[in-house]
Amino acid sequence: MATKADTVVFQEAEAIRQFTLNQNKRVEAWLADNWERVGLTGPINKSTVSRALSSMPVVKPVADALDVLFGEMRDDPWAWCQPPTQVEDLPRYAPLNWWYKTLRLKDALSWTRFERMPKHPLTDKDRSWVQERLDEWADRLKAACDHFQRDRALVRALEADENPEFQHWHKIDDEWRIGKKPPREAAEKELRRRVGNIGLHGRSEEEIGMAWALADVTITLPDIVEAKLTYSRPRVVSGVSHFSEPIEPWNGQEFEGVEIAEFVYDEPYTTTESYTVKHRVCFYWTGDRYEIEDIEPFAQAKDGAEWRATTAQERDFFMTGIKRKHQTRAELEVTRDAWIDDLWEKLKARQDEREEPSMANLFKPEPTLREKFPEGIPRSYAEVWFNARVEALDEEAAADEQREVARRRMAFMRQLRRRPV
């Protein structure tokens, strides 16, 4: 259960309540559609929404989610207050009595006549007049929303120039990497380039002066009823000394590079293994920054100070985190000749060694391989060992392990960064 220390008051409750015309159901619907995206564990019940929008304490994740909603309202207010285009659809937006007051219909239409509109449609003349009032009001509201967005964009552009976003790059072994250079590594080249909001670059002197002026104004959402801005636009600041810079690709529309990562395999109470791996990637320009496309994950691994290409088995291991314990008959048969030849050479190198004494051979030691095969160890002896290994296979365990590897490999591949079509 949440305690007082876990709860907060949502600071923009009044602003959202006014901009949604006190229609909590719209906020409830948004939360029902977006709860996962904003970090909630599920949809929020009506009573919690009501508490939050009444400026009563709610748990912080709910307040954080409503902050996201408020941000979306400010990013595109028209999407939240766009009225219907036809008179017949007015009740879907707000109660008829709200419309009667907002459109000031009492000048030519009685309330009793207007409230009967759903069951008894207006005459053509009355409908045309109401439609005209609706269109005029909607045009003013749209203009206010557009003006709000332009003013807010100017302030955000000024803020972006004052606190710009950068991508950092460094080049090692003739390969570009994104991010600051790791400590204790020598880079051939380091640089940073601005990305994100283009700021006021290319804006007129008047727009720059207005941005400076608006930065000192609290820009609140438009007044829906009055269809106008809720703040006064200030006087343009003249003679400002402003700096901005272009945002553009510095190395073409795309280029290849690498990412370096650490892979750690931890088997509890047994072993921990660490590997340094290299991924091949492509950096591509999206208009305001370079994004990353995965080309070849785990392309190389580091042995000491040297990089080497990884094997298919190693890539499966890195992708899935599964260290294979079983092999199938087909996998063994592929390596049959090489495995037998390798064992044969090892046996010939150890043909004079005698087994360690045990309770089974304490009084009658096993003969050495030279004693067993005075004319030389035949290759068939190594083949016997291979066949024994094949017979000892657990085919079901190997197949189950392969299926799990395939599932995890698929899950890994689905998470790769891909370039949009």
Side-chain angles (χ1 to χ4, degrees), residues 97-382:
N97 61 343
W98 183 89
W99 282 111
Y100 192 74
K101 295 177 183 177
T102 299
L103 299 182
R104 296 177 173 84
L105 301 181
K106 65 179 182 179
D107 296 341
L109 192 64
S110 69
W111 162 244
T112 54
R113 179 65 190 93
F114 184 67
E115 71 171 338
R116 295 166 54 217
M117 182 181 66
K119 293 183 178 180
H120 302 281
L122 300 174
T123 64
D124 291 344
K125 180 181 178 181
D126 287 343
R127 185 194 180 284
S128 177
W129 184 78
V130 173
Q131 184 70 54
E132 184 178 333
R133 298 300 295 256
L134 172 63
D135 293 342
E136 185 271 335
W137 173 83
D139 288 344
R140 286 191 290 112
L141 181 59
K142 179 66 165 63
C145 289
D146 291 345
H147 219 142
F148 172 90
Q149 283 190 286
R150 288 195 299 270
D151 286 349
R152 190 158 180 259
L154 285 174
V155 173
R156 295 174 81 175
L158 175 61
E159 293 170 346
D161 284 339
E162 292 177 342
N163 186 26
E165 179 186 359
F166 293 97
Q167 282 185 329
H168 295 260
W169 302 87
H170 61 279
K171 194 177 191 181
I172 299 177
D173 297 331
D174 205 35
E175 295 174 322
W176 279 109
R177 309 178 190 180
I178 193 169
K180 294 183 178 180
K181 177 184 70 66
R184 297 182 298 278
E185 283 202 51
E188 300 157 34
K189 190 172 184 179
E190 293 183 74
L191 56 87
R192 71 175 189 176
R193 289 293 184 272
R194 182 174 169 178
V195 295
N197 191 318
I198 63 172
L200 294 170
H201 182 76
R203 297 273 196 165
S204 67
E205 185 176 336
E206 182 177 358
E207 288 176 310
I208 293 173
M210 178 54 73
W212 280 55
L214 286 168
D216 297 327
V217 175
T218 301
I219 301 179
T220 48
L221 286 165
D223 184 328
I224 296 180
V225 174
E226 297 298 329
K228 66 178 185 180
L229 294 176
T230 52
Y231 57 92
S232 299
R233 301 192 81 232
R235 182 179 301 175
V236 172
V237 178
S238 59
V240 301
S241 176
H242 186 82
F243 172 78
S244 188
E245 58 187 309
I247 292 177
E248 53 195 11
W250 60 269
N251 199 22
Q253 290 299 310
E254 63 178 62
F255 60 97
E256 286 201 9
V258 298
E259 288 185 329
I260 308 300
E262 293 295 321
F263 174 83
V264 177
Y265 174 76
D266 186 20
E267 192 170 338
Y269 311 110
T270 305
T271 182
T272 298
E273 301 173 13
S274 181
Y275 303 84
T276 301
V277 294
K278 180 186 290 185
H279 310 293
R280 287 183 54 238
V281 299
C282 179
F283 302 108
Y284 61 96
W285 186 252
T286 60
D288 67 343
R289 71 188 64 241
Y290 282 104
E291 295 289 357
I292 304 172
E293 178 184 22
D294 289 308
I295 302 297
E296 186 182 359
F298 306 110
Q300 292 181 307
K302 202 168 192 178
D303 280 338
E306 300 297 323
W307 290 99
R308 61 166 179 81
T310 54
T311 65
Q313 291 78 13
E314 284 177 322
R315 289 192 291 274
D316 274 348
F317 172 46
F318 294 145
M319 289 181 188
T320 65
I322 296 177
K323 182 168 283 193
R324 293 281 303 276
K325 296 181 174 64
H326 305 278
Q327 286 182 294
T328 64
R329 184 182 297 269
E331 288 174 323
L332 274 181
E333 290 293 345
V334 168
T335 64
R336 180 184 181 87
D337 290 339
W339 193 95
I340 291 173
D341 289 340
D342 181 61
L343 179 60
W344 191 25
E345 292 300 321
K346 290 178 180 178
L347 291 173
K348 287 188 288 186
R350 301 173 55 190
Q351 60 185 351
D352 292 323
E353 295 181 9
R354 194 178 296 277
E355 290 185 18
E356 291 290 328
S358 67
M359 293 304 297
N361 65 7
L362 184 60
F363 301 105
K364 190 178 180 181
E366 288 290 325
T368 64
L369 292 175
R370 187 182 295 277
E371 291 170 344
K372 282 185 178 181
F373 306 105
E375 296 181 3
I377 303 172
R379 189 174 185 276
S380 59
Y381 186 63

Side-chain angles (χ1 to χ4, degrees), residues 74-104:
R74 286 164 60 82
D75 287 340
D76 189 2
W78 181 244
W80 277 86
C81 68
Q82 182 177 2
T85 58
Q86 301 296 320
V87 170
E88 290 74 19
D89 296 327
L90 293 181
R92 297 180 183 178
Y93 187 90
L96 285 178
N97 61 343
W98 183 89
W99 282 111
Y100 192 74
K101 295 177 183 177
T102 299
L103 299 182
R104 296 177 173 84

